[in-house]
Amino acid sequence: MHEKNLNITAIPAFGDNYIWLLTAGGTTCAVVDPGAAEPVLERLEDQGLELRYILLTHHHPDHIGGVSGLLEKYAAQVYGPDDKRIPYTHHICREGESVSLPDLNTEFKVLEVPAHTRTHIAFYGENALFSGDTLFSIGCGRLFEGSPAEMQQSLDKLAELPAATRVYCAHEYTQSNCAFALAVEPENAALKARAAEVDRLRAAGEITLPTTLGDELAANPFMRTRAKSVLEAARKIDPAATPGSSTLAAIRVWKDRF
Ligand code: ZN
Ligand code: FE
């Protein structure tokens, strides 16, 4: 993997989605999870960029809805999981494979991270993780097509990446996630600091991403299901909770009705 000037910026869509735009100093680019075409087309036009690659983490409409509109204008290559619900994929991405984007002189590793959806994948490289709706800052995705054990396994897989990894998730949910996380761990100093930073950023109209894996391990209750404080909080929902997936299950249920 090369170290160089990969630039990653957010294109907001639908109020709380981010479509990530990747450039490397030239005139070509990639986008991750374009749920809408319009804001991407506008940005590309503005910056005189040509779309070469589209990376998809999962099949939900707010992540793939813009693909057909983008393909009408650009002959981009589409990379995504093995899922018939995504009809546009040129390159199926499987666990451990590398996605090479030569125009950006960049390579990403594919990680299969099921639970939000059965076929959800993440892309990792250049010190960046595109985690879709699996890992959010101070939260995780809802369990639409997987069990708490699968989400635990998926988050454990992401936790093995270097702590300095920058996490680019697909939604601006951080502020509401912090409110919930503080109910779980009111005494967590790293979380309190993150919540204060997020309040300041949002008040200034700024985005709260990327986060880092290290910060998430310190403050995100879904990455901390083996911490004593999170376990004790989970036992208010499920007295039989043990460290790991049953704690994740309990706080996920709690969050869903928070
Ligand atoms: Zn989703
Ligand atoms: Fe989403």
Side-chain angles (χ1 to χ4, degrees):
M1 230 159 273
H2 329 264
E3 283 300 329
K4 87 224 95 5
N5 53 339
L6 187 71
N7 252 298
I8 305 170
T9 53
I11 302 173
F14 311 120
D16 64 22
N17 278 70
Y18 291 129
I19 300 164
W20 296 107
L21 171 67
L22 283 52
T23 57
T27 56
T28 55
C29 67
V31 290
V32 182
D33 284 356
E38 197 64 15
V40 177
L41 292 169
E42 246 170 61
R43 180 72 67 91
L44 300 189
E45 201 122 312
D46 267 11
Q47 301 193 359
L49 290 168
E50 187 176 333
L51 184 62
R52 282 290 160 78
Y53 313 107
I54 299 173
L55 274 53
L56 304 174
T57 64
H58 68 294
H59 75 281
H60 283 157
D62 63 310
H63 299 254
I64 69 168
V67 175
S68 58
L70 293 172
L71 292 179
E72 278 171 29
K73 172 113 196 253
Y74 298 102
Q77 292 293 300
V78 181
Y79 298 80
D82 186 7
D83 195 316
K84 291 200 170 62
R85 296 171 293 189
I86 306 176
Y88 335 91
T89 313
H90 303 115
H91 305 274
I92 301 285
C93 302
R94 294 192 173 81
E95 174 74 25
E97 288 180 358
S98 286
V99 170
S100 165
L101 312 180
D103 284 13
L104 299 177
N105 198 19
T106 292
E107 220 173 77
F108 292 115
K109 261 216 137 105
V110 176
L111 301 160
E112 291 178 355
V113 286
H116 178 68
T117 68
R118 188 174 45 77
T119 63
H120 197 301
I121 58 174
F123 298 93
Y124 168 70
E126 309 285 342
N127 196 37
L129 172 70
F130 297 94
S131 61
D133 286 0
T134 294
L135 172 62
F136 295 125
S137 183
I138 319 297
C140 75
R142 285 177 186 259
L143 306 180
F144 289 126
E145 299 178 5
S147 63
E150 280 174 298
M151 181 57 89
Q152 181 67 61
Q153 223 169 27
S154 292
L155 294 178
D156 284 346
K157 188 184 285 190
L158 300 181
E160 282 170 26
L161 300 172
T165 302
R166 283 195 276 272
V167 180
Y168 297 86
C169 53
H171 288 276
E172 181 61 68
Y173 291 159
T174 319
Q175 197 165 35
S176 57
N177 286 347
C178 283
F180 171 72
L182 284 167
V184 177
E185 279 194 292
E187 304 304 330
N188 180 328
L191 171 59
K192 287 195 269 188
R194 175 66 169 147
E197 180 201 27
V198 166
D199 287 345
R200 181 183 62 73
L201 288 168
R202 297 309 286 158
E206 287 175 39
I207 84 172
T208 65
L209 302 170
T211 177
T212 68
L213 266 182
D215 287 349
E216 295 306 312
L217 289 168
N220 182 338
F222 294 94
M223 297 291 271
R224 296 171 51 73
T225 56
R226 297 173 187 96
K228 192 162 167 270
S229 47
V230 176
L231 174 62
E232 277 168 7
R235 283 187 172 149
K236 290 186 247 168
I237 308 297
D238 172 9
T242 56
S245 62
S246 62
T247 292
L248 189 146
I251 62 172
R252 187 61 259 181
V253 165
W254 182 3
K255 171 86 164 56
D256 288 348
R257 51 186 200 219
F258 185 74

